[in-house]
Amino acid sequence: MLIRDIQALLGAALLCGESRLDDEVTSGFGADLMSDVLAFTDSDTLLLTGLCNLQTIRTADMLDISHIVFVRGKCPDDAMLQLARERGICVLATHYTMFKSCGLLFSAGLRGGGRDE
Amino acid sequence: MSDCLTLRFTVPADDFTRAGEASSSTKATLKQLGLPADIIRRVAIVMYEGEINMVIHANGGEITVEICPDQIVMVLKDTGPGIPDIQQAMQAGWSTASGAARDLGFGAGMGLPNMKKCADSLDIESTVGVGTTVTAVVRL
């Protein structure tokens, strides 16, 4: 699924990473706990999270996650967006809840990216 | 002359905004060296989890990364409170993290188990009241 389609489905604002709007992701992972993101996600997964601090961007960077959606109207600050830009990470923000965001994307064909075995 | 490249970092105490800088810098170096992506990812996860642990539990510390032709060795040394029961600390879900750490999305008790999973070997030496040294190896 293209990032620009994800942006449209979630009515999301693009906060940085415009050049990545035509990137394609095939899976998503939703969590507010970065410990779980570190333990359970694969690379190239879309990260949906309501945790909004610098460690969210650092965690994504460590895992080569290049696309983040902040849910529930969370708004990253300038320091977060600056780090995201430096690391080439695309950041979107939606007012939808985590459940609704994941549900919309799953219904549209995006699959779970975490290791749940 | 050694064939290994050594990186040294000081992890500042209680500075959550800087937690992860050493891991990020190491990851950039490994990328520059052209190492395989899965190796870089495993090293990054092990080191980041360890670095976060140092900030959360141990008032920071020192990290040495030795990049050799056959392996990458990370030594994370702190002078924090030590781990009374290492076996218990290795259990997924066991945590003594503060509320501040949990607010940042950590402290779920997944750090050490995840480090063990991503490293080829993980050794923990700890003395209560003296500190902890974690040695993690990722083989190339």
Side-chain angles (χ1 to χ4, degrees), chain B residues 53-132:
Chain B
N53 275 347
M54 289 174 123
V55 176
I56 291 175
H57 298 289
N59 297 320
E62 304 286 333
I63 303 178
T64 305
V65 184
E66 200 168 52
I67 305 161
C68 302
D70 59 339
Q71 63 182 11
I72 297 168
V73 181
M74 291 158 271
V75 180
L76 301 96
K77 188 177 172 62
D78 69 61
T79 52
I83 305 170
D85 186 338
I86 292 173
Q87 210 173 352
Q88 192 173 40
M90 289 302 297
Q91 285 175 14
W94 172 261
S95 176
T96 58
S98 65
R102 290 170 196 269
D103 287 347
L104 284 174
F106 296 96
M110 297 299 290
L112 286 174
N114 198 27
M115 288 170 77
K116 189 177 182 185
K117 190 177 76 181
C118 292
D120 287 305
S121 77
L122 186 79
D123 179 62
I124 303 171
E125 286 179 27
S126 189
T127 306
V128 172
V130 177
T132 300

Side-chain angles (χ1 to χ4, degrees), chain A residues 1-16 21 25 27-32 34 37 45-52 56-57 60 65-76 80 89-98 100-102 104-105 110:
Chain A
M1 190 180 295
L2 296 179
I3 296 299
R4 68 171 64 253
D5 294 336
I6 288 168
Q7 181 190 12
L9 270 170
L10 300 181
L14 173 71
L15 302 183
C16 73
L21 277 176
V25 290
S27 62
F29 186 88
D32 288 353
M34 292 302 109
V37 176
T45 294
L46 176 75
L47 173 62
L48 296 102
T49 184
L51 186 84
C52 193
T56 310
I57 309 293
I65 288 174
S66 303
H67 310 89
I68 302 174
V69 177
F70 286 100
V71 298
R72 301 192 296 270
K74 304 291 180 187
C75 193
M80 291 173 65
I89 295 171
C90 174
V91 178
L92 302 173
T94 177
H95 280 88
Y96 292 164
T97 63
M98 176 75 88
K100 183 172 177 178
S101 300
C102 293
L104 284 168
L105 297 179
L110 196 70

